[in-house]
Amino acid sequence: EVQLTESGGGSVQSGGSLRLSCAISGLTYSSYCIVWLRQRPRKEREGVAAIDSDNVITYRDEVEGRFTITRDKVNNTVDLQMNMLRSEDTARYYCVAGSGVIYYSDGIYKCDWNVIGQGTQVTVSS
């Protein structure tokens, strides 16, 4: 059973940085994708950054150049370094995982995830 545990959220001022970490256990798929999603107040959940077992990495356009997703194979985590944070980055951030790699369909990159963590709150004040 795959389990995901997020950590690293908190409150920062605009322009600040945070590093989120997703601790992964039970992931035995040979091919997999890990995505950081977020849900902003009164908005639908949206993808932020993704990485897969082939080291393919994708980002949401509005975080490109500010956020970096990395995989730490030693500690078995997928981290999200968030720099130059803006008030609109305020959201609950979730780590999700699925078997299979990232693929391109209907104009966007997708990961067929089926496991989600409990999330971690990020609040950016202006």
Side-chain angles (χ1 to χ4, degrees), residues 3-42:
Q3 290 190 325
L4 309 171
T5 306
E6 303 94 333
S7 62
S11 297
V12 294
Q13 291 192 326
S14 181
S17 298
L18 282 173
R19 187 177 184 87
L20 306 183
S21 185
C22 175
I24 304 166
S25 64
L27 186 66
T28 59
Y29 312 134
S30 57
S31 296
Y32 59 85
C33 48
I34 309 290
V35 184
W36 278 100
L37 303 178
R38 69 184 179 189
Q39 187 157 22
R40 296 189 269 194
R42 298 172 296 281

Side-chain angles (χ1 to χ4, degrees), residues 108-126:
I108 60 174
Y109 290 96
K110 297 183 180 180
C111 161
D112 290 336
W113 60 270
N114 56 3
V115 181
I116 187 168
Q118 83 288 349
T120 186
Q121 180 67 34
V122 171
T123 303
V124 185
S125 57
S126 56

Side-chain angles (χ1 to χ4, degrees), residues 43-70:
K43 296 284 183 69
E44 291 189 355
R45 204 158 43 193
E46 59 192 18
V48 175
I51 188 168
D52 71 13
S53 48
D54 289 342
N55 279 324
V56 172
I57 291 174
T58 64
Y59 294 100
R60 185 176 192 79
D61 285 349
E62 63 190 89
V63 307
E64 183 91 50
R66 299 189 297 123
F67 292 10
T68 303
I69 188 170
T70 55

